[in-house]
Amino acid sequence: MGFHAFLKQYDGGGWRDVYKINSADEFFVAYDQTKTLCMTLQRGVNFKEYFRCYVVGQEKVHIMPYDPRAPFHERYVQNPPAYPPALLARVERDARTLCKALGYDLNTVEFAVEDGVPYAIDFMNPAPDMDINSLTPTHFEWVVSSMADMAIRLAKEPPPAPKPSWEGFLGGRRRSGTVSAKSIKGR
C-alpha cells in the first residue's frame, strides 16, 4: 500500500479515531490503540481538488468544494475555481452509485481528486453534520429543501419494500441453467 496512509474507523465521523500513518512502526502503534474497533486502512491521496457531496434520496447530489486542511469554519470553499465538467459529472455519478449500493437516503460522500481521478475516501455518513454554521447558509438551504422535498414525496408515495439484488445493482445476469429460489419454489 505504501505511506502515507490513514487508519480510521470504517464508520467514523468528525475525525474520531483517525491516524495519519507514515511508516510501518506508526501503523502498529496506531493499530494497538484501536483495541476492538473495526478499522480501515486507506492510502493517502495527494489531492488538488476535494469535494464533499450531500446526497438526498439516492438521486439528488449537491457537490461542495471542500478543504479538509482548512480551519473548521473555513472548510467549505467560497468562490471556488471552475472545475472540468467531466470531473463534476463523475463525482456526481459515483456519489449516487455509492448511496444506492449502501441504501442510504441521506449521506455525505467525500472525494479527494489526484491527477484528475476522484477517490471516494469517506462515504458512510448517513447522519452527517447539518449545522448551518459549518455548512454555510447556501449549502444548509439546499440540504433542508431537498430533505423536505424527499419527506413530502415519501409521505405522498411510500416506496415499495426494497428487494435487494446484487445482480441487479452490478448489472449481472443469471446464467442459464443456474438455480434460483423462484425456480425451486415452482418445482
Side-chain angles (χ1 to χ4, degrees), residues 41 43 68-70 82 85 92 123 146 149 173 182 185:
L41 183 63
R43 179 182 72 86
R69 299 173 287 210
E92 181 176 339
F123 50 85
S146 297
D149 290 346
R173 295 182 183 177
K182 189 174 185 178
K185 191 176 180 182

Side-chain angles (χ1 to χ4, degrees), residues 1-7 20-22 41-47 112 114 119 121:
M1 171 183 268
F3 298 104
H4 78 279
F6 291 88
L7 182 66
K20 184 175 182 183
I21 310 294
N22 293 301
L41 183 63
Q42 186 175 66
R43 179 182 72 86
V45 177
N46 296 313
F47 61 89
E114 182 176 8
Y119 294 91
I121 63 160

Side-chain angles (χ1 to χ4, degrees), residues 49-52 63-65 83 87-88 91 109-111 113:
E49 299 92 2
Y50 194 103
F51 301 105
R52 188 164 199 242
I63 301 173
M64 302 168 289
Y83 297 106
L87 173 62
L88 296 175
V91 165
V109 180
E110 294 183 17
F111 292 93
V113 182

Side-chain angles (χ1 to χ4, degrees), residues 56-57 144-159:
V56 176
V144 170
S145 176
S146 297
M147 289 292 295
D149 290 346
M150 182 181 73
I152 292 166
R153 179 179 48 80
L154 291 173
K156 289 180 176 180
E157 305 167 19

Side-chain angles (χ1 to χ4, degrees), residues 61-186:
V61 179
H62 184 64
I63 301 173
M64 302 168 289
Y66 190 79
D67 185 355
R69 299 173 287 210
F72 188 74
H73 65 285
E74 296 176 2
R75 290 187 179 172
Y76 290 95
V77 177
Q78 303 299 310
N79 305 311
Y83 297 106
L87 173 62
L88 296 175
R90 165 86 186 267
V91 165
E92 181 176 339
R93 183 186 74 234
D94 291 356
R96 190 178 292 119
T97 299
L98 281 165
C99 292
K100 285 181 180 181
L102 294 167
Y104 289 175
D105 283 323
L106 175 64
N107 195 16
T108 54
V109 180
E110 294 183 17
F111 292 93
V113 182
E114 182 176 8
D115 297 327
V117 178
Y119 294 91
I121 63 160
D122 190 2
F123 50 85
M124 295 179 70
N125 301 299
D129 172 26
M130 290 174 114
D131 186 327
I132 191 171
N133 296 307
S134 57
L135 276 180
T136 73
T138 301
H139 300 311
F140 179 79
E141 184 177 312
W142 185 92
V143 172
V144 170
S145 176
S146 297
M147 289 292 295
D149 290 346
M150 182 181 73
I152 292 166
R153 179 179 48 80
L154 291 173
K156 289 180 176 180
E157 305 167 19
K163 296 179 182 175
S165 166
W166 281 107
E167 288 175 351
F169 173 71
L170 296 173
R173 295 182 183 177
R174 192 169 8 141
R175 289 180 245 160
S176 62
T178 60
V179 178
S180 71
K182 189 174 185 178
S183 65
I184 292 171
K185 191 176 180 182

